[in-house]
Amino acid sequence: MNAIDFCYTNFQDHHWEEWIASGVDREIITLNVKSLEGTTPYEYLIYSPKISRRNDGRLRDRDLKKYRHIEHGGWWCSGIDPLDEYNPMMWGCFKPDKPRRDPSKINKYIKYEHPYKEATRAFFLQVSNAAWALVSRYSGIEVKSEDWKHPWGFWYWVWRKNVPIVIVEGAKKAACLLTAGYAAIAIPGVNAGYRTPKDEDGNIIGKPFLVPDLKHFATPYRRVTICFDHDKKPETVQRVRTAIKRMGKLLAVEG
């Protein structure tokens, strides 16, 4: 049995087929994605010490009710953490098979869940050697013997060699671009690349700043491309343009 066959046991068929249909390299899928069901998703989503619990350690009823849908299963995706010596990142996203309704929008569902009460991060997906070689070829930046052997791997090479990066919205889009030979970093929303300090009442009390994950890669002379979906709704178009402008300005200031 080869590695791909072995890793395939981590997937329900429809989850595997969803990623394959998106054009993602099989090894990239097996390195970053897995199917979860039953109570297992709670371990990935409900771990923050900021979550209020009962005296016996159990979740409060309101949170149990809020997240009951995750027990029906879904897929989980996470990558590595460049701020923690490129170890596996605890944070990630879960796409439930039966999503919950969005309480703030009529007839809308929350497509992806992220760890409750935890700040959002960026996705740095692990790659196959073939994808790494393709990124090297397209960027024109050589992968030397010591790069292949370094325990911190692909993303350390991207950081150290100032490899051009592409910032996208959503882990699956990043996986597609990595498959195609681009060093793609994903954020979970167009505004997730930066934060704006606010007080408890939601009033802005400071200037926007890059999230630490992106700031780490905002090195001098690195080429950064921001690539978000095109939308026809005027309000969405304006929101995306504003996000690109703000994040682009912050990246330029850092690098």
Side-chain angles (χ1 to χ4, degrees):
M1 180 179 290
N2 60 39
I4 295 297
D5 290 334
F6 176 79
C7 291
Y8 182 78
T9 61
N10 290 331
F11 293 90
Q12 292 186 20
D13 288 346
H14 61 292
H15 297 153
W16 176 263
E17 290 165 3
E18 177 186 341
W19 280 78
I20 288 293
S22 296
V24 180
D25 174 78
R26 290 170 179 264
E27 193 169 351
I28 290 178
I29 301 172
T30 60
L31 287 169
N32 300 282
V33 187
K34 65 178 71 174
S35 293
L36 304 177
E37 62 182 341
T39 59
T40 305
Y42 289 104
E43 299 174 17
Y44 290 76
L45 293 171
I46 316 294
Y47 60 80
S48 175
K50 301 173 187 175
I51 297 173
S52 175
R53 294 179 180 270
R54 302 184 341 179
N55 290 336
D56 60 3
R58 288 188 60 201
L59 288 174
R60 298 196 178 278
D61 290 344
R62 64 175 181 273
D63 290 334
L64 281 171
K65 182 178 180 180
K66 178 180 179 180
Y67 284 99
R68 187 73 69 189
H69 66 291
I70 66 177
E71 296 181 15
H72 294 290
W75 57 252
W76 168 265
C77 179
S78 60
I80 60 93
D81 190 344
L83 305 183
D84 183 27
E85 298 185 340
Y86 299 84
N87 286 308
M89 185 181 287
M90 193 171 188
W91 184 90
C93 74
F94 180 71
K95 184 182 180 184
D97 289 340
K98 294 186 177 181
R100 60 188 170 103
R101 287 186 179 275
D102 188 334
S104 64
K105 299 178 182 178
I106 300 175
N107 297 324
K108 292 287 186 178
Y109 290 84
I110 296 175
K111 191 174 182 180
Y112 298 100
E113 301 282 359
H114 301 92
Y116 185 40
K117 295 286 188 179
E118 285 292 297
T120 56
R121 300 285 305 271
F123 293 91
F124 301 89
L125 302 183
Q126 298 183 66
V127 303
S128 61
N129 285 344
W132 187 347
L134 198 57
V135 172
S136 171
R137 190 174 83 187
Y138 286 172
S139 66
I141 299 175
E142 181 184 4
V143 185
K144 297 182 178 180
S145 176
E146 58 265 30
D147 297 321
W148 291 115
K149 296 176 182 177
H150 199 287
W152 290 358
F154 172 76
W155 285 107
Y156 177 69
W157 170 79
V158 171
W159 174 77
R160 190 168 69 88
K161 295 295 183 69
N162 240 24
V163 175
I165 60 173
V166 182
I167 299 173
V168 299
E169 181 189 11
K172 198 186 295 180
K173 293 185 182 71
C176 290
L177 284 177
L178 285 163
T179 299
Y182 299 92
I185 299 170
I187 53 178
V190 297
N191 295 306
Y194 59 91
R195 297 197 176 103
T196 303
K198 296 180 180 180
D199 61 21
E200 294 180 355
D201 297 320
N203 300 309
I204 296 175
I205 57 174
K207 295 181 179 180
F209 60 92
L210 279 179
V211 295
D213 291 329
L214 295 188
K215 184 176 180 179
H216 182 69
F217 283 83
T219 50
Y221 307 110
R222 184 191 303 276
R223 188 172 78 245
V224 179
T225 302
I226 302 172
C227 183
F228 292 151
D229 286 350
H230 176 72
D231 200 290
K232 294 183 179 180
K233 296 179 181 178
E235 62 273 18
T236 304
V237 171
Q238 184 57 48
R239 182 170 61 87
V240 171
R241 284 178 178 172
T242 299
I244 291 174
K245 182 178 179 180
R246 288 179 179 173
M247 185 162 54
K249 183 178 180 179
L250 292 169
L251 286 164
V253 169
E254 291 292 339

